[in-house]
Amino acid sequence: MGDGSITPRLGSMRALLGIVAGAGASYGIYKLISGGSLKRNKKSPNSENSSVKSSQPSEAVLKPGSLLAKVSGLDVVCPRPVDVASGDITHQSPGNLEPQHLKMLLSCLQTNPSDRCQILLTLGNAAAFTVNQNLIREFEGIHIIAGFLSDPAAEVRVQTLNALNNLCMNIPNQEQIKVYVPQVLELIEMSPVNSDLQLGALRLLTNLSVTDKHQHLLKDSVTLLLSLLVVSSEALQVQALKVLVNLSSNPDMIDDIVQAQVRINGHQG
């Protein structure tokens, strides 16, 4: 983010806090922003893993606080004996996957629709390791995975976002992932409020906006992010704030944040 003095950083944070305070009065414009597409989902979000978690009694979840749990937020299958020839790669420990396994998973992802959720989950967990992040990129896996952002099944889109989120921690990978920002923003706008889809998309944007290299891609999304502070749950508000805080650390983005708030207030009736 740069090593600039703390004074401009504090000034940026004060500006953002003032904007966030004003966002509370912005509910009336919310329908204009979203076109009615962001509908409140009164149901509690389902677990991101409910449709893909294995039921094998011999599997165990890694303890909270482990590297994979911190990075991906996904339950990870512990090692157990595996017959690779049987295609049972998805039950291996992500840290034990070899290059040929990743190639097979990417191939199966394109040819075996019935298992795409489990495959995406395994690839996402594997992408918590730098070596796998590089290998997946070298195998053209980022574009293969991102192709499922438009999958009809919501749970598949969630696992796709989770995998891209982990892959996005790799700077070279961000160069490929950035082209999907418009699609990710559309998912936020069109998905039910407080859904796992919105949360996964915001997590991806948080990682992508950690440095100022790609923050300009989110200039037109500031109004949407401010709107989420009004209508969403606390978890979603926190994630939206993380993106806004990242953007506010960039002096070139402050005017866009302020102007977005002015536009919201200017449309209030």
Side-chain angles (χ1 to χ4, degrees):
M1 211 76 71
D3 297 324
S5 67
I6 193 171
T7 301
R9 180 63 181 261
L10 290 175
S12 298
M13 291 300 295
R14 284 197 293 269
L16 179 60
L17 289 174
I19 293 165
V20 172
S26 305
Y27 181 78
I29 193 60
Y30 171 70
K31 292 295 183 180
L32 292 176
I33 298 166
S34 65
S37 61
L38 291 176
K39 298 180 181 178
R40 181 177 298 274
N41 185 355
K42 296 183 179 180
K43 297 181 179 179
S44 299
N46 293 327
S47 168
E48 293 176 359
N49 300 327
S50 60
S51 63
V52 295
K53 188 181 294 184
S54 173
S55 59
Q56 293 287 343
S58 60
E59 297 169 354
V61 177
L62 292 179
K63 294 181 179 180
S66 65
L67 172 63
L68 290 179
K70 288 180 179 178
V71 171
S72 66
L74 299 171
D75 291 336
V76 181
V77 178
C78 288
R80 67 180 179 84
V82 172
D83 177 11
V84 175
S86 70
D88 200 14
I89 302 173
T90 57
H91 295 294
Q92 288 203 74
S93 171
N96 292 340
L97 292 177
E98 298 179 3
Q100 66 267 26
H101 297 152
L102 295 174
K103 283 185 176 181
M104 291 177 66
L105 286 170
L106 291 169
S107 176
C108 289
L109 189 59
Q110 301 174 84
T111 59
N112 194 354
S114 62
D115 292 333
R116 60 193 186 281
C117 251
Q118 182 64 56
I119 295 172
L120 285 166
L121 173 61
T122 303
L123 286 168
N125 286 336
F129 298 90
T130 302
V131 62
N132 292 334
Q133 293 167 2
N134 291 328
L135 285 170
I136 291 173
R137 181 184 70 251
E138 293 168 5
F139 296 154
E140 302 295 331
I142 291 176
H143 299 305
I144 294 173
I145 292 170
F148 291 88
L149 285 171
S150 57
D151 193 274
E155 63 270 24
V156 172
R157 298 198 298 273
V158 168
Q159 295 301 337
T160 299
L161 288 167
N162 291 338
L164 292 175
N165 179 40
N166 284 353
L167 288 166
C168 197
M169 294 189 302
N170 183 302
I171 297 300
N173 287 354
Q174 290 185 1
E175 291 299 318
Q176 295 187 20
I177 294 174
K178 70 180 183 181
V179 302
Y180 300 102
V181 167
Q183 205 169 348
V184 173
L185 290 172
E186 185 179 3
L187 280 176
I188 295 176
E189 186 173 358
M190 303 301 295
S191 301
V193 175
N194 301 327
S195 63
D196 287 346
L197 278 168
Q198 284 193 327
L199 189 59
L202 287 170
R203 286 172 177 164
L204 173 56
L205 294 181
T206 300
N207 274 350
L208 193 64
S209 62
V210 166
T211 68
D212 59 9
K213 189 170 185 180
H214 305 302
Q215 290 173 348
H216 66 281
L217 299 173
L218 302 179
K219 293 177 74 169
D220 296 333
S221 69
V222 174
T223 302
L224 174 62
L225 294 170
L226 289 171
S227 299
L228 290 174
L229 299 180
V230 179
V231 300
S232 61
S233 65
E234 181 179 352
L236 216 68
Q237 289 172 353
V238 169
Q239 204 63 49
L241 275 173
K242 287 181 180 181
V243 182
L244 287 167
V245 167
N246 283 351
L247 299 181
S248 73
S249 68
N250 184 345
D252 294 336
M253 294 292 297
I254 294 298
D255 285 345
D256 295 284
I257 297 175
V258 173
Q259 290 170 11
Q261 178 64 18
V262 169
R263 287 195 298 270
I264 290 177
N265 291 335
H267 281 88
Q268 287 181 344

